[in-house]
Amino acid sequence: MLINFSFENWSSFRDRTDFSLIVAKERQHGDRVPGIDKYKIKVLPITAIYGGNASGKTNFFGAFYFAKQFIVKGLPPDASIRVDPYRKVLVISAEGKTEREYFDMRRKQC
């Protein structure tokens, strides 16, 4: 079960973006939210992504799809990762170093 997905420097997302399914400290409707007792957390059973036109929804799902394909299919040790250079955001730090993409997926086994 996926509980958190984070990435940065991907397409139009320069800064770190976190997508978490962990329930906040909300007390209202707490009896309707499923929990994982083993880890003492509650997770959302459903979520939605919404926003205005050109706000990054498609790029978010592109990052998610890339991570999924990378996990499911993998890559040979000497293979390179293909990225569309037109949509690639190249971030250069204050020190003049090129920054790399970052992905982090957290899951819990029930």
Side-chain angles (χ1 to χ4, degrees), residues 12-62:
S12 62
F13 291 90
R14 185 184 79 188
D15 299 326
R16 182 179 169 134
T17 301
D18 293 309
F19 180 69
S20 177
L21 295 167
I22 298 174
V23 174
K25 301 284 183 198
E26 178 69 35
R27 293 181 188 221
Q28 186 178 9
H29 308 298
D31 57 331
R32 299 182 198 161
V33 179
I36 303 174
D37 293 332
K38 181 177 176 182
Y39 299 104
K40 296 184 175 138
I41 60 172
K42 291 192 173 201
V43 293
L44 297 171
I46 191 168
T47 190
I49 305 273
Y50 63 93
N53 292 343
S55 62
K57 297 179 299 290
T58 301
N59 291 338
F60 170 84
F61 284 108

Side-chain angles (χ1 to χ4, degrees), residues 42-88:
K42 291 192 173 201
V43 293
L44 297 171
I46 191 168
T47 190
I49 305 273
Y50 63 93
N53 292 343
S55 62
K57 297 179 299 290
T58 301
N59 291 338
F60 170 84
F61 284 108
F64 196 79
Y65 178 77
F66 170 80
K68 176 191 159 230
Q69 291 299 101
F70 188 77
I71 292 167
V72 172
K73 292 188 176 181
L75 286 173
D78 58 343
S80 60
I81 298 172
R82 290 182 20 182
V83 177
D84 183 0
Y86 174 74
R87 297 173 189 241
K88 174 97 170 122

